[in-house]
Amino acid sequence: MSSPDLETVGSDPVPFAPTHPFSETAGADTILRSSDGVDFYVHRVILSLVSPVFETMFGLPQPESSPAIPVIDMQERSAALDLALRFFYPAAQPNVATLEKLQEVLEVVMKYDMQCVVPMVKQHLEKYQSSRPLAVYAIAFRHRWKDVAVAAAKESLKYPLRSLNTEAPAELEGVTAIGYHELLRYHSRCADAARLTTAELKWFPWSTTLDNCRCNKNLLMFSDNMYHHTPAWFCEFLTGMVNTWAITPGANVRDHGIFYVALEKAKCDYCRPFNFIYFVTHQLTAQVRSEIDKVRGTPPFISARI
């Protein structure tokens, strides 16, 4: 028998002990015994409603010598089993502290075909989309959860996935080659959308305020399909963002030094009314995000695989 899951109280390890509602024998008609020897007192009717696997198991004839409360030996360890049960059991509330623990729950849910629990598991998984999008993508793609996979893929745009100078993301371990290819393809298409949106401002009207600007000028095309003499510092900023978004199309403008360099240079009496901060934080960012959303929707990039 394997050693029980341990919790630490002070300096002394304490074996895992089930709490309400799995610690009481009153009304329970089955014991689930974890692989590390911990007993969970449960009710067949509840497990049967949630899991067709358990329903079939309980329908099998029992030996005449069966104990008053039959014991089912489980392959899962106590901590994972406890969490999985709490996702659907009355008077129980799951407390999932890490994504790794959620993955253990998910293994139990899928093994016993607990489909009614999947929406709640997905809700917990979505909490990690921003902080660990690659891991969430790998899990969602593996289980064919298209909505979660698409959202996680969008969050992954903050990372330089296509750079050969970086280590392979450890969190994508276990994802199929097709799943990884689809993610890189989406990443590349979003980078193209962000780059093209920023390279030329054909979607943005020319500001006549800049006509009298005395800064060094470069030519840039605007929404009137005409080239205008545009402050060089502003063109340098756009070039910098083109290069940044080509690698990390989900990057936040204010996370990069080129934003603050441009802000420092926009000091002449004609540049200042151009309201550079508003343009960058609102209009440019919104336009890039809008173009990326179009990439996701025409058609959904993993629709053929999920």
Side-chain angles (χ1 to χ4, degrees):
M1 181 179 294
S2 59
S3 60
D5 289 327
L6 302 178
E7 297 179 352
T8 301
V9 178
S11 59
D12 299 323
V14 179
F16 184 91
T19 57
H20 181 79
F22 310 121
S23 59
E24 302 173 2
T25 60
D29 53 15
T30 300
I31 294 174
L32 300 183
R33 180 165 293 159
S34 67
S35 62
D36 50 330
V38 178
D39 289 346
F40 292 80
Y41 291 85
V42 295
H43 302 77
R44 292 189 178 196
V45 64
I46 296 176
L47 295 180
S48 296
L49 285 171
V50 173
S51 166
V53 176
F54 276 113
E55 183 180 22
T56 300
M57 188 186 305
F58 295 144
L60 297 175
Q62 300 297 316
E64 295 182 2
S65 59
S66 296
I69 302 182
V71 177
I72 298 177
D73 291 318
M74 307 288 287
Q75 295 179 347
E76 292 72 28
R77 294 179 65 85
S78 52
L81 185 57
D82 181 78
L83 270 180
L85 291 171
R86 290 184 181 278
F87 264 81
F88 63 85
Y89 221 85
Q93 183 68 31
N95 181 19
V96 186
T98 66
L99 181 56
E100 286 68 27
K101 289 186 178 296
L102 184 61
Q103 285 182 275
E104 292 180 357
V105 171
L106 183 54
E107 290 177 6
V108 178
V109 168
M110 303 311 291
K111 177 180 179 179
Y112 295 99
D113 196 18
M114 301 175 178
Q115 293 302 317
C116 66
V117 183
V118 169
M120 188 183 300
V121 173
K122 289 170 68 174
Q123 287 180 1
H124 280 262
L125 186 61
E126 289 166 358
K127 296 176 183 177
Y128 297 95
Q129 279 180 356
S130 179
S131 60
R132 298 183 62 183
L134 298 179
V136 172
Y137 172 82
I139 294 169
F141 196 97
R142 188 159 57 248
H143 292 289
R144 298 180 177 273
W145 294 339
K146 176 180 166 182
D147 53 341
V148 180
V150 169
K154 186 174 181 180
E155 288 291 336
S156 78
L157 297 176
K158 299 178 290 186
Y159 296 87
L161 297 184
R162 292 170 294 117
S163 173
L164 297 179
N165 296 322
T166 59
E167 297 270 338
E171 293 193 310
L172 283 174
E173 184 176 352
V175 74
T176 64
I178 289 177
Y180 190 44
H181 172 77
E182 293 290 349
L183 182 61
L184 293 182
R185 186 164 71 95
Y186 171 70
H187 204 276
S188 177
R189 291 173 63 190
C190 288
D192 288 343
R195 177 177 56 80
L196 293 174
T197 302
T198 314
E200 289 187 331
L201 300 185
K202 294 181 180 180
W203 52 272
F204 188 70
W206 167 251
S207 174
T208 55
T209 303
L210 297 176
D211 284 334
N212 299 319
C213 173
R214 297 184 179 88
C215 294
N216 293 331
K217 301 289 185 64
N218 291 332
L219 287 174
L220 189 67
M221 180 177 285
F222 286 80
S223 62
D224 57 2
N225 289 322
M226 295 181 62
Y227 285 95
H228 294 273
H229 292 282
T230 309
W233 63 263
F234 181 64
C235 294
E236 290 171 4
F237 162 77
L238 291 179
T239 299
M241 287 312 304
V242 165
N243 295 333
T244 296
W245 278 328
I247 300 172
T248 51
N252 189 321
V253 175
R254 290 198 175 203
D255 288 339
H256 294 272
I258 51 178
F259 169 77
Y260 298 97
V261 170
L263 192 63
E264 181 66 22
K265 291 182 177 180
K267 286 187 173 181
C268 89
D269 291 339
Y270 297 97
C271 285
R272 196 175 299 114
F274 177 66
N275 201 342
F276 174 68
I277 294 179
Y278 177 80
F279 170 80
V280 170
T281 56
H282 294 280
Q283 292 178 280
L284 179 59
T285 300
Q287 186 68 22
V288 168
R289 289 177 178 173
S290 174
E291 294 303 317
I292 286 177
D293 285 343
K294 293 177 184 178
V295 170
R296 185 184 66 178
T298 56
F301 73 104
I302 54 176
S303 59
R305 304 297 184 185
I306 292 185

